[in-house]
Amino acid sequence: NAGVTQTPKFQVLKTGQSMTLQCAQDMNHEYMSWYRQDPGMGLRLIHYSVGAGITDQGEVPNGYNVSRSTTEDFPLRLLSAAPSQTSVYFCASRRQTEAFFGQGTRLTVV
Amino acid sequence: AQTVTQSQPEMSVQEAETVTLSCTYDTSESDYYLFWYKQPPSRQMILVIRQEAYKQQNATENRFSVNFQKAAKSFSLKISDSQLGDAAMYFCAYRAGGATNKLIFGTGTLLAVQP
């Protein structure tokens, strides 16, 4: 049972490039989320999904897109990377109370 | 809007001693959950303990326990018999009940454990 799997673990992008952070869970969880973690700010919600085909914006959605075509996968797309998007990104899933997190992706935009 | 405040950016404890990490929150909801997450240098977010707001009894998980003061909106974490492996960043988090998916995190407390 792999839990929540994020790829890649590290990524360097140039300003203006696009990329997709992958997130997959094998626990059949309905709820999935993307957070970003910045120094001194804790984790902040980017986008979330309550089931396949349903997504909504969180606290800091600008510059990011998501889709949820299957229960298992919830990719996060950066449309045109900016230095302000340098951060550590976490994907999480949950069914009832507890959220399970992936190991994070450290993204640097230069 | 709901907020979570951790007023201790850093704490230090001697091995085998007890330490308490503070957390306060603000909400107008009556149904919610509170969590403490541990983030070691590996970056993995690990759930330490959770508390349902409707439960009066404080949650306990082995050496970890909470002091949940609902009226004061306080949710502190006590670590007993501290071990070197407890050294990490600790985040307090809140989630309203129901279908919401939004976890609101505090800014974290970095705990150092001295041998």
Side-chain angles (χ1 to χ4, degrees), chain A residues 9-10 90 102-104, chain B residues 38-46 87-88:
Chain A
K9 288 186 171 52
F10 301 92
F90 286 96
Q103 287 200 304
Chain B
K38 172 185 178 181
Q39 187 180 42
S42 67
R43 204 167 66 201
Q44 181 71 46
M45 294 290 287
I46 302 165

Side-chain angles (χ1 to χ4, degrees), chain A residues 31 33 37 94 103-104, chain B residues 39 43-44 95 100-101 103:
Chain A
Y31 301 101
S33 308
Q37 181 180 18
R94 74 173 181 92
Q103 287 200 304
Chain B
Q39 187 180 42
R43 204 167 66 201
Q44 181 71 46
R95 183 172 64 80
T100 181
N101 216 28
L103 271 171

